[in-house]
Amino acid sequence: MLILKEKFSVDAYPLTLTKTILLTLVVTFCFVLVTMYAFLHFEGYSFLDAMSEKMLSAKKATIERAINDYVDVPLQSNAILVHAIGQEEGDNLPVRELSSNLINNINNVFSDRHYLNLLEFGSINGDFIGVSHDRAREDYLALKDTSTAGLLTFYSHLSSESAVIKTTPDYDPRRREWYTAVAKDKRSHWTRPFIDYNDPGITGIAWSSPAFNHHGKFVGVVASELHFDELNQNLQKFKPYPNSILLIVNDQHELVASSLPATAQAASVKAGQLPPLHKLSESSNAEVVAAGQAILQQAKPGMLSMKVKGQDYYVDTFAIQDQEAQLNWKGVIISPAEATSQTILNYGKVMLLVLFIACGLGLLAVVWVLSRATRPLLEIARKADELVTHRWTPSTDKRHFPEIASLETTFMALSHKLAESFELQRKKIEEDEDTQLWTRAGLLQQPSLYKKRNLVALLQIGNMYSVVNALGSEFGDAFINEFIRRLRDLLPTDTLIARDTTDKLLVVFPGVNQYKDYQRYCEILGSLFMGDAHELHGADNKYVYTGNVGMVLSPVTEASFPSIRREVGIALLQAESVGNGVVTLFSQEMYERELYNIQLHEHLHDAIHHHEFHLVLQPIIDQRHEGHCREGECLLRWHSQALGDVSPDRFIPLAEETGLIVPLGKWVIEEACRELAMMIARGAPQDFLLHINVSAIQLLQQDFAWHLIDSIRSNGLANSNICIEITESVLMQDMQRIGKMLGYLRRHGISISLDDFGSGFSSLSYLHALPFDSIKIDRNFVSGVMGDEKAQSVINSLIVLASGFNVPLIAEGIEDESVMQKLKALGCQKAQGYYFRRPAEFSTFRCEGGEFFYQSEEEGSEALV
């Protein structure tokens, strides 16, 4: 399993899943922090300004509502008392009877507000009652009527029964500021700032309203006072930030109230005088002075920015109006820019702290979840090897996430399933289902294979595929099992037999064998494929076997078996090339020959591109006119730069096996036509007939005829200049297609010659069905014509046959004059061989005046001698 893991290893990230997720979270968090820092660094001031304006605007709206509510209290208080007085019938209203109404307003209606400092009523006859409600002093009652002997009497509590604090003679409310203006026009008014009669240190204003009895007669004036010191204290409470300044100014930009104690005290004067109101520019506070100048210079409403002593401030204003719209004051808010930014930063710090805490808790939660998820996954990965061993052990953890639990259960079931599948697969790989033999893989797993064995055989049943294709797989199973039974009967009991492929069996003989043992087993195995085997198995002689055997004498080890299998295969190929029932022992020469074939194939592939092929010409002589040669055969030669001269008998079959014969054959046709055209141009006969050998693979190519005719025409030749030679092996490929192709070529004037006639078993069977123009006798018959009567009989028969078809008979392989004369005497018309001329390059032949001289003058003289 470790080897498989190394072989099928998958590229992995350098970090584990847990570390990757944690690192991703940390990087994301750092990225957020860096982004926030960059945003604040590059856009921070704009952001802070925008946030500051929004925060100040929100606070301004709150302050505006609070102060407007503040100034509306006197109006509401007066309305309540005026309504109560309007229920009275008399003209001279006893003021003492109004005490309960005044006290109710102070203690009940406005008990939770300290905005209302003094509620008072002065009658038209000079009587007075007032109730004070001051957070800095004890509440008191002031009363003047007949019961007080015309003296203004102050009581320590809100009752005339309480102790008298002091008395003031000569007090007439009708001379007070809050009374005179209203009594004159009988309308409600805000008074000018005045000094408190009882305490000269207190200044304020009052909302005064006329009071009428039930009959609508004016009976006095009701006034509700607001004291500036109380207003100043409330402004300190209303201001947006501790270091902000909140001012109230009138329509003349005079300071009415301030959240700064020093500025507020400037309004106090001596008793008996009207308190002066100072303009903002007269303030001792630089921020107030600068704000006053900024407000005066303001072109449009909105928040202003200013700089005082190098520090930035925001200035904003808002309107202060009562419900009657008679009070035209303005509120001014002065706030350091630092205050708002510091507030934002404080919020940011809190937010960052919360973010850190949340991220920390999140990381802890992620770590916990990952540990609960990845630890079982790591455990499953560690136990993955157990899948194939059916030993999967459940996890020791009691609880899992549903996905992990499902994965654990699935792997446990998969372990059992894989164990079953692997066992079935092992049987398929190591055991042959049809014969119950081991396969080659199964044989390699047997320990007995490597115990003192040195003789191995590879048997091939040659007709196995034919039996299966013709009679079916069931008959094929019985066919090979019978062969195995016969084999076991002939061999020792401890012989190892395995099925290598469908038609091949591996046999490993017991013990350490010598060459004599090979010879003994050679006879035994050869008998399986010979006729006398039927007599040994009389009851079972319905099965006939063909085949061959390759054997190797070499010690069998785990390391050597692959090479033994290769060598025994080479020996089997050698046996097949000899014939049926042949048993061959492997030799080093076979290996070298096979290795040479491999090298041959490698160099053959590039030989065309390297221009290593060339063509030669061997004349075909008409024995009736030996002096006039008009015919020859084109032959292919290969001189390899690496291998030297290679025989056509070696590379032509290899080219056919590998398919390289197709491009090679096209080159031969093109080159042959080119060479013939050049030879005719030098003076050769115009009707010279060139024979070109063609393989079955070439002839069955769809573009063969087109390519041949195109090559003839492109070189300026006539179709009658070319004759293609085909062997019996070509005709056996596809008789119908071959016949159509040959008929097509012959109709276009291309000649057909039957090469190596008589070498096969069915030569006569296709003569009546094929078009041809000449017959070439196989050179084996020609070489034996002198001493073999059978060869002479065959040649006589072929001459008669050719005469019957009215075509010439060409004898090839003539090497001496006696053979030539003998064939000439028998009536053979044409001849070809070394006797006349060895194959030579086209350019070496002399061509003059329409004649082709196949021998030089020197060669002709030597031949006559």
Side-chain angles (χ1 to χ4, degrees):
M1 181 62 72
L2 182 61
I3 296 176
L4 286 177
K5 285 184 177 180
E6 293 176 355
K7 182 178 180 181
F8 300 105
S9 61
V10 179
D11 292 339
Y13 292 110
L15 298 178
T16 62
L17 177 63
T18 301
K19 291 181 180 179
T20 302
I21 294 177
L22 293 178
L23 181 62
T24 302
L25 291 176
V26 171
V27 170
T28 303
F29 182 61
C30 293
F31 176 76
V32 172
L33 291 180
V34 171
T35 303
M36 291 177 63
Y37 174 79
F39 173 77
L40 293 176
H41 180 74
F42 295 104
E43 299 291 337
Y45 293 109
S46 301
F47 174 73
L48 289 175
D49 289 343
M51 290 297 296
S52 298
E53 291 184 8
K54 290 183 179 180
M55 291 179 63
L56 288 174
S57 298
K59 289 181 177 293
K60 182 187 75 172
T62 303
I63 296 171
E64 183 177 0
R65 287 194 300 271
I67 294 179
N68 282 323
D69 289 345
Y70 185 95
V71 300
D72 279 337
V73 169
L75 279 70
Q76 298 168 5
S77 174
N78 281 13
I80 293 173
L81 193 55
V82 168
H83 176 73
I85 294 172
Q87 305 301 318
E88 301 294 333
E89 296 289 341
D91 295 338
N92 293 317
L93 185 66
V95 295
R96 187 181 292 270
E97 295 180 1
L98 295 176
S99 62
S100 59
N101 292 322
L102 271 66
I103 294 171
N104 181 60
N105 262 17
I106 290 292
N107 287 341
N108 296 326
V109 179
F110 301 102
S111 62
D112 58 340
R113 303 186 186 183
H114 297 286
Y115 304 165
L116 188 60
N117 298 113
L118 182 63
L119 180 58
E120 53 197 346
F121 172 72
S123 68
I124 58 175
N125 59 5
D127 290 344
F128 174 82
I129 185 171
V131 176
S132 176
H133 184 64
D134 196 330
R135 79 177 80 189
R137 302 177 181 85
E138 294 290 338
D139 296 343
Y140 66 85
L141 173 66
L143 182 64
K144 176 192 174 186
D145 59 5
T146 56
S147 63
T148 63
L151 299 174
L152 179 60
T153 303
F154 294 89
Y155 297 94
S156 59
H157 296 292
L158 299 179
S159 173
S160 59
E161 303 297 328
S162 60
V164 177
I165 301 174
K166 66 178 181 177
T167 59
T168 301
D170 301 327
Y171 178 77
D172 189 352
R174 291 170 295 185
R175 293 195 299 271
R176 299 294 295 166
E177 177 72 21
W178 56 270
Y179 189 96
T180 55
V182 175
K184 184 177 181 179
D185 59 9
K186 305 300 187 295
R187 292 169 48 213
S188 297
H189 293 283
W190 282 103
T191 67
R192 294 179 301 171
F194 59 84
I195 299 175
D196 187 85
Y197 185 82
N198 184 44
D199 189 349
I202 297 175
T203 58
I205 60 173
W207 174 255
S208 300
S209 301
F212 301 92
N213 62 11
H214 185 67
H215 300 289
K217 184 177 180 179
F218 176 72
V219 294
V221 176
V222 176
S224 295
E225 293 185 9
L226 295 178
H227 292 168
F228 289 164
D229 60 343
E230 184 70 30
L231 182 56
N232 292 336
Q233 294 182 30
N234 281 299
L235 290 183
Q236 293 183 28
K237 181 180 67 175
F238 293 155
K239 64 182 181 180
Y241 303 107
N243 50 355
S244 297
I245 300 174
L246 182 58
L247 308 175
I248 296 179
V249 297
N250 58 20
D251 54 355
Q252 301 299 319
H253 289 275
E254 295 174 333
L255 185 62
V256 175
S258 171
S259 62
L260 293 174
T263 305
Q265 290 173 1
S268 299
V269 294
K270 296 181 180 180
Q273 297 180 3
L274 291 175
L277 299 179
H278 303 291
K279 292 185 178 296
L280 297 182
S281 59
E282 299 172 354
S283 174
S284 60
N285 186 282
E287 290 84 354
V288 174
V289 174
Q293 294 175 354
I295 293 172
L296 290 175
Q297 297 173 3
Q298 186 176 13
K300 58 181 180 179
M303 188 175 296
L304 301 174
S305 298
M306 67 179 187
K307 188 181 290 291
V308 180
K309 296 179 181 179
Q311 187 175 0
D312 294 325
Y313 289 86
Y314 293 111
V315 179
D316 204 357
T317 60
F318 58 89
I320 301 176
Q321 288 188 346
D322 58 74
Q323 295 176 352
E324 298 294 333
Q326 294 191 26
L327 188 63
N328 191 20
W329 287 356
K330 182 185 294 184
V332 180
I333 303 174
I334 306 172
S335 295
E338 184 183 39
T340 55
S341 61
Q342 189 62 40
T343 301
I344 295 173
L345 291 176
N346 290 336
Y347 286 139
K349 291 179 181 178
V350 174
M351 182 181 68
L352 288 177
L353 179 61
V354 172
L355 182 62
F356 270 112
I357 294 174
C359 288
L361 294 176
L363 285 175
L364 291 176
V366 169
V367 169
W368 182 85
V369 172
L370 286 176
S371 65
R372 298 294 296 174
T374 57
R375 186 175 64 184
L377 288 177
L378 292 174
E379 182 67 17
I380 289 174
R382 186 186 64 80
K383 298 188 302 182
D385 292 345
E386 299 178 6
L387 280 176
V388 297
T389 59
H390 192 52
R391 297 195 309 268
W392 185 271
T393 55
S395 175
T396 56
D397 293 341
K398 295 182 179 180
R399 298 178 67 86
H400 291 291
F401 289 108
E403 296 83 356
I404 302 299
S406 176
L407 189 62
E408 179 82 23
T409 304
T410 301
F411 272 103
M412 191 178 301
L414 184 60
S415 174
H416 289 266
K417 189 67 176 177
L418 284 177
E420 296 175 358
S421 299
F422 286 163
E423 179 61 23
L424 291 175
Q425 190 67 23
R426 186 198 63 78
K427 289 184 177 180
K428 289 183 179 180
I429 294 174
E430 298 183 2
E431 298 179 12
D432 181 63
E433 184 178 0
D434 299 330
T435 61
Q436 307 307 312
L437 295 176
W438 295 311
T439 62
R440 188 198 307 178
L443 178 64
L444 293 174
Q445 301 301 319
Q446 306 307 312
S448 59
L449 174 65
Y450 311 107
K451 293 181 180 180
K452 296 182 179 181
R453 297 177 186 267
N454 71 336
L455 183 58
V456 180
L458 181 64
L459 287 76
Q460 181 183 33
I461 305 174
N463 56 342
M464 180 69 193
Y465 283 109
S466 300
V467 169
V468 173
N469 293 333
L471 303 177
S473 58
E474 292 185 3
F475 189 89
D477 293 343
F479 183 76
I480 192 171
N481 277 293
E482 173 59 24
F483 182 85
I484 294 170
R485 187 182 67 80
R486 295 181 184 181
L487 183 62
R488 289 189 185 279
D489 291 341
L490 296 174
L491 299 178
T493 55
D494 53 350
T495 301
L496 302 179
I497 303 176
R499 190 171 188 181
D500 188 72
T501 60
T502 301
D503 63 337
K504 292 183 180 67
L505 298 176
L506 270 170
V507 178
V508 184
F509 298 90
V512 179
N513 297 273
Q514 304 297 326
Y515 184 76
K516 61 180 181 179
D517 299 308
Y518 153 70
Q519 292 178 323
R520 179 167 56 88
Y521 289 127
C522 179
E523 295 177 2
I524 294 174
L525 296 178
S527 66
L528 292 169
F529 306 106
M530 298 174 66
D532 56 356
H534 299 289
E535 299 177 2
L536 298 175
H537 306 277
D540 303 316
N541 57 10
K542 61 179 179 179
Y543 295 128
V544 177
Y545 300 97
T546 63
N548 299 93
V549 182
M551 299 184 73
V552 171
L553 262 172
S554 178
V556 179
T557 64
E558 291 187 26
S560 66
F561 191 86
S563 62
I564 290 175
R565 172 60 184 84
R566 182 174 59 253
E567 292 169 355
V568 78
I570 294 174
L572 178 61
L573 290 175
Q574 182 66 27
E576 289 177 353
S577 65
V578 176
N580 178 58
V582 177
V583 180
T584 304
L585 183 66
F586 172 79
S587 64
Q588 189 63 27
E589 290 76 12
M590 295 180 186
Y591 174 76
E592 292 174 357
R593 186 162 48 251
E594 191 67 22
L595 184 61
Y596 179 78
N597 287 337
I598 295 174
Q599 295 176 345
L600 201 64
H601 175 263
E602 293 177 353
H603 294 290
L604 180 63
H605 186 271
D606 299 323
I608 298 177
H609 303 290
H610 294 164
H611 306 288
E612 295 180 351
F613 289 106
H614 66 278
L615 298 180
V616 295
L617 177 66
Q618 187 175 37
I620 299 176
I621 310 301
D622 188 338
Q623 299 198 85
R624 295 171 299 182
H625 307 281
E626 293 185 17
H628 302 280
C629 179
R630 296 179 178 274
E631 194 170 353
E633 181 180 1
C634 174
L635 302 174
L636 180 64
R637 294 294 183 262
W638 177 23
H639 178 76
S640 172
Q641 296 178 3
L643 304 175
D645 290 325
V646 183
S647 170
D649 294 337
R650 297 297 302 273
F651 70 81
I652 292 296
L654 184 61
E656 291 179 340
E657 290 177 6
T658 59
L660 292 174
I661 193 64
V662 175
L664 183 58
K666 287 185 177 181
W667 180 87
V668 169
I669 290 174
E670 295 169 0
E671 186 68 11
C673 292
R674 187 184 68 82
E675 290 279 8
L676 178 60
M678 292 175 62
M679 195 172 69
I680 293 175
R682 294 202 324 266
Q686 294 289 332
D687 59 349
F688 192 92
L689 182 63
L690 182 64
H691 291 239
I692 302 175
N693 291 283
V694 176
S695 72
I697 298 176
Q698 286 180 265
L699 200 59
L700 290 174
Q701 298 297 311
Q702 292 183 354
D703 63 340
F704 174 78
W706 173 87
H707 177 260
L708 175 61
I709 294 174
D710 184 68
S711 298
I712 293 171
R713 292 178 179 175
S714 63
N715 286 279
L717 301 175
N719 291 349
S720 58
N721 287 123
I722 300 300
C723 174
I724 63 170
E725 292 190 5
I726 58 175
T727 62
E728 182 182 355
S729 60
V730 174
L731 302 173
M732 293 177 65
Q733 297 293 323
D734 190 336
M735 189 68 175
Q736 186 175 6
R737 286 182 60 189
I738 295 294
K740 290 181 179 180
M741 176 63 72
L742 295 179
Y744 175 83
L745 295 175
R746 203 158 179 267
R747 287 195 301 272
H748 283 76
I750 297 173
S751 302
I752 309 297
S753 179
L754 302 181
D755 194 13
D756 295 336
F757 190 81
S759 60
F761 298 102
S762 57
S763 300
L764 298 177
S765 64
Y766 53 73
L767 287 179
H768 70 283
L770 293 175
F772 58 93
D773 299 281
S774 62
I775 298 175
K776 298 186 77 172
I777 308 173
D778 185 77
R779 64 178 62 246
N780 293 325
F781 297 118
V782 174
S783 61
V785 69
M786 297 302 295
D788 191 344
E789 294 182 0
K790 292 183 178 179
Q792 293 182 19
S793 299
V794 171
I795 293 176
N796 282 326
S797 299
L798 291 177
I799 292 174
V800 173
L801 183 66
S803 177
F805 281 99
N806 196 26
V807 295
L809 183 68
I810 303 173
E812 57 182 353
I814 299 176
E815 298 184 1
D816 54 51
E817 184 178 3
S818 60
V819 174
M820 185 269 293
Q821 295 295 341
K822 183 67 173 179
L823 289 172
K824 187 175 182 179
L826 291 174
C828 184
Q829 298 179 14
K830 296 183 179 182
Q832 175 185 351
Y834 288 175
Y835 172 76
F836 301 102
R837 179 72 182 265
R838 288 180 175 273
E841 294 184 3
F842 283 72
S843 60
T844 62
F845 290 93
R846 186 164 59 92
C847 304
E848 295 178 358
E851 293 291 337
F852 176 82
F853 301 94
Y854 63 91
Q855 284 186 338
S856 62
E857 294 181 359
E858 293 79 4
E859 290 174 334
S861 300
E862 292 177 1
L864 292 174
V865 175

